[in-house]
Amino acid sequence: MSVPRTGWEDGELYLRASATLLASWEAYARGASGATVARLPGVAVAVFPNGPEREFFNNALLERALDPAGRAEALDAMESAYARAGVGRFAAWVHESDGSMRADLEARGYTVAESTRAMGMALDDLRLPRPTLELGPADWSEYLRVLGVPPGFLGGVRDDALHVLVARLDGENVATAMAFDLEGDCGIYNVTTQPHARRRGLGTALTALHLYDARDRGCRTASLQSTEMAEGVYAAAGFRDLGRILEYAPAAVSSVV
């Protein structure tokens, strides 16, 4: 089934998605001890030197289509930033279409540890009906509990910087999703359902509700990164495939990232 297009090219959606993603990392960094997001030539480097965030957010997003000197400068800057922070375990994110950057990473001993699919949409293309579901309070601490992260995780994040939804089933909070807006793009992140409540459509419903809420806030596009399992669900909502994001890890830690 073809997806209707309402004026946004895939390249535009990818750039909007990337900008929203980086801004969300900056919001997380403001709530984590010692964390920063450095916007360096050719790369944005999220450095989270302290736990518990250290295990989750040490990621760098590399720009596409850099020339050889630009690629070398970006990779050197990324490695230096993590070395200065004492962070040895991190992931370098590169779009699958960027064969030259992939080759340069592999020449340095990096290997692909995992991948997600970047997806974006115009909110005018929203296909799903507005869902009706039981919601719990939009509480940051409850969002983190349902998400299943360690105690103290992002404890300093400002609640008003993020849009949290928590879904209930049989009187229990069992699913959650978070959204972050930047310049008319709504990034949707961490759509999570606890194991005993899966296959009830709660993740799909939360995503759809975020899309409707984002449109009501004046957003024009939405973006996310999907696991392979969820790609069909998001496509059914109106999201378009913007290509895989490959997460390269240094050789010493590629087996555990």
Side-chain angles (χ1 to χ4, degrees):
M1 180 183 297
S2 63
V3 176
R5 304 199 173 217
T6 53
W8 295 95
E9 297 295 330
D10 287 357
E12 293 177 288
L13 288 175
Y14 180 77
L15 290 176
R16 289 170 71 82
S18 298
T20 305
L21 177 70
L22 295 179
S24 75
W25 289 359
E26 290 171 335
Y28 303 152
R30 290 191 289 271
S33 174
T36 61
V37 177
R39 307 271 188 140
L40 305 173
V43 63
V45 184
V47 180
F48 287 73
N50 301 311
E53 297 85 6
R54 181 185 177 104
E55 299 302 312
F56 296 87
F57 288 127
N58 282 302
N59 301 307
L61 180 63
L62 291 152
E63 292 182 15
R64 292 196 284 183
L66 298 173
D67 62 22
R71 295 195 302 272
E73 182 180 17
L75 294 176
D76 288 346
M78 175 187 72
E79 292 175 343
S80 295
Y82 284 123
R84 287 194 301 271
V87 173
R89 175 176 172 165
F90 61 90
W93 293 17
V94 58
H95 194 275
E96 64 178 343
S97 66
D98 196 341
S100 296
M101 182 66 81
R102 293 171 60 183
D104 287 358
L105 282 163
E106 290 162 12
R108 295 186 182 217
Y110 289 73
T111 56
V112 177
E114 56 185 288
S115 68
T116 57
R117 188 164 299 280
M119 304 187 80
M121 66 179 291
L123 287 173
D124 286 344
D125 293 340
L126 178 54
R127 296 174 175 182
L128 299 177
R130 189 177 189 111
T132 300
L133 70 166
E134 183 184 0
L135 295 176
D139 179 80
W140 180 250
S141 61
E142 185 63 5
Y143 161 77
L144 294 176
R145 186 196 68 77
V146 176
L147 202 59
V149 294
F153 187 84
L154 293 180
V157 166
R158 292 175 52 199
D159 291 10
D160 60 358
L162 306 167
H163 303 281
V164 171
L165 292 175
V166 177
R168 295 170 64 80
L169 180 68
D170 298 329
E172 178 188 3
N173 294 340
V174 296
T176 191
M178 186 268 288
F180 180 89
D181 297 347
L182 179 73
E183 297 178 354
D185 182 67
C186 174
I188 299 175
Y189 309 114
N190 301 329
V191 181
T192 302
T193 303
Q194 294 188 341
H196 68 281
R198 290 175 184 165
R199 302 188 184 279
R200 308 288 187 93
L202 294 174
T204 302
L206 286 172
T207 300
L209 186 54
H210 266 310
L211 295 174
Y212 276 96
D213 288 349
R215 195 165 68 179
D216 291 345
R217 293 192 299 269
C219 290
R220 301 174 62 200
T221 62
S223 56
L224 52 77
Q225 286 175 254
S226 176
T227 62
E228 183 176 359
M229 183 182 302
E231 288 174 18
V233 171
Y234 295 132
F239 281 94
R240 288 147 52 178
D241 177 8
L242 304 179
R244 284 193 305 155
I245 303 299
L246 305 177
E247 301 183 19
Y248 278 85
V253 295
S254 61
S255 63
V256 295
V257 169

